[in-house]
Amino acid sequence: MNYVVGDIQGCYQGLKKLLKTIKFNSSKDTLWAVGDLVARGDDSLSTLQLLYDLEDNFKTVLGNHDLHLLSIINGIKPAKPQDKLESLLASSDIERYANWLRQFPLATMIDQHSLLAHAGLFPEWSFKKAIRLSAEIESELQSDHYAGFLAKMYQDTPDTWNNTKKSQLRLTFVVNALTRMRYLNTYNQLDFKEKNSPLQTASKFIPWYEINNTHQLPDQRIIFGHWASLNGRTNHPNKIALDTGYVWGGHLTCLCLETKKLIKIKE
Ligand SMILES: [Mn+2]
């Protein structure tokens, strides 16, 4: 079976409980994650240990917190106390985890019809385009100069997509769209200030998944995390939100690709 789990964020006990609930068989099943494996939860170190030990039976896309961890490890960003990363950062295995994490993509196909990306799919992109753009980031992250790439990545602009510009700014937009996006305005500009659910938000902010993507085919679906305040609701059956805020006292949600069932656990 293939299972896709929402944002784990260092919630080791929750992850263990989920794997037990779905009777996860680490020699037969594959666990996919939407990213944000670490940060804010109680035990990011044990979480990474468990996932790392699943070897080829675990796959993920990277989220903003995962990239942030790589930046902390490389001295680009300070660790925030609320991320609770102290024991992970102090671990003698931290370099091994960093080198493991930076092999993962920002967007990937998990079956013929399903795209996985932490924040979602920018509405002007096809699935193929997202995969191609993710590959541009992968080659940066997997290079020897990846810390230099991370150092230049932190900014909110450009907020519009410019297809032709081959530059660091183009890569910054790709990272932001795939790992941080929630709302756009009517000009398809990314907005990073608003984090609430659409029910509590002014209508000038449009959730990315409400914008018609003319490239998305009827049989294609997008699976994403990152947005806990959605609590799994998009009202679009082919845009599947799996972050249901376990780390904030909500549920850890998991989709079984074969049975299409959602499994939810609570602390
Ligand atoms: Mn996130």
Side-chain angles (χ1 to χ4, degrees), residues 164-183:
T164 54
K165 210 184 282 168
K166 297 266 182 194
S167 67
Q168 174 75 28
L169 291 177
R170 166 194 169 95
L171 298 181
T172 295
F173 184 93
V174 172
V175 171
N176 284 339
L178 289 172
T179 69
R180 296 176 60 209
M181 171 181 70
R182 288 187 183 90
Y183 289 102

Side-chain angles (χ1 to χ4, degrees), residues 24-224:
F24 186 78
N25 182 333
S26 58
S27 57
K28 280 197 288 194
D29 298 330
T30 298
L31 184 70
W32 300 81
V34 299
D36 281 1
L37 309 176
V38 297
R40 307 295 163 94
D42 286 334
D43 197 346
S44 289
L45 173 58
S46 301
T47 301
L48 284 196
Q49 269 164 351
L50 189 159
L51 298 174
Y52 182 91
D53 289 342
L54 292 177
E55 299 182 354
D56 289 345
N57 296 78
F58 172 72
K59 295 183 168 70
T60 192
V61 288
L62 298 176
N64 51 310
H65 283 295
D66 309 309
L67 293 174
H68 190 75
L69 173 66
L70 292 174
S71 296
I72 296 169
I73 293 168
N74 285 283
I76 295 156
K77 287 273 174 178
K80 297 182 221 159
Q82 66 265 34
D83 283 345
K84 301 183 190 167
L85 294 170
E86 292 84 359
S87 42
L88 174 60
L89 294 170
S91 160
S92 56
D93 293 324
I94 188 67
E95 277 300 319
R96 183 159 55 92
Y97 292 134
N99 289 330
W100 172 65
L101 279 176
R102 67 192 179 94
Q103 306 304 318
F104 287 109
L106 269 53
T108 192
M109 298 299 293
I110 55 177
D111 61 30
Q112 236 184 320
H113 308 286
S114 310
L115 179 84
L116 184 67
H118 181 63
L121 178 66
F122 186 65
E124 295 174 12
W125 296 346
S126 66
F127 281 26
K128 270 190 184 152
K129 178 137 201 136
I131 298 293
R132 273 203 309 272
L133 293 171
S134 172
E136 292 184 26
I137 307 300
E138 285 154 50
S139 72
E140 295 290 332
L141 287 177
Q142 292 166 19
S143 73
D144 293 338
H145 60 263
Y146 90 100
F149 167 72
L150 288 175
K152 285 181 280 180
M153 187 187 72
Y154 282 97
Q155 48 180 33
D156 291 349
T157 52
D159 57 6
T160 50
W161 172 239
N162 183 335
N163 199 16
T164 54
K165 210 184 282 168
K166 297 266 182 194
S167 67
Q168 174 75 28
L169 291 177
R170 166 194 169 95
L171 298 181
T172 295
F173 184 93
V174 172
V175 171
N176 284 339
L178 289 172
T179 69
R180 296 176 60 209
M181 171 181 70
R182 288 187 183 90
Y183 289 102
L184 287 77
N185 64 18
T186 48
Y187 303 101
N188 279 359
Q189 287 173 300
L190 300 173
D191 182 289
F192 296 117
K193 285 179 225 80
E194 189 57 52
K195 293 183 179 182
N196 285 319
S197 93
L199 299 170
Q200 299 162 298
T201 300
S203 58
K204 64 176 179 174
F205 299 111
I206 309 161
W208 67 265
Y209 56 78
E210 293 288 0
I211 297 168
N212 185 36
N213 184 331
T214 54
H215 303 286
Q216 188 180 351
L217 306 172
D219 66 343
Q220 290 184 324
R221 59 182 178 171
I222 304 162
I223 302 174
F224 67 103

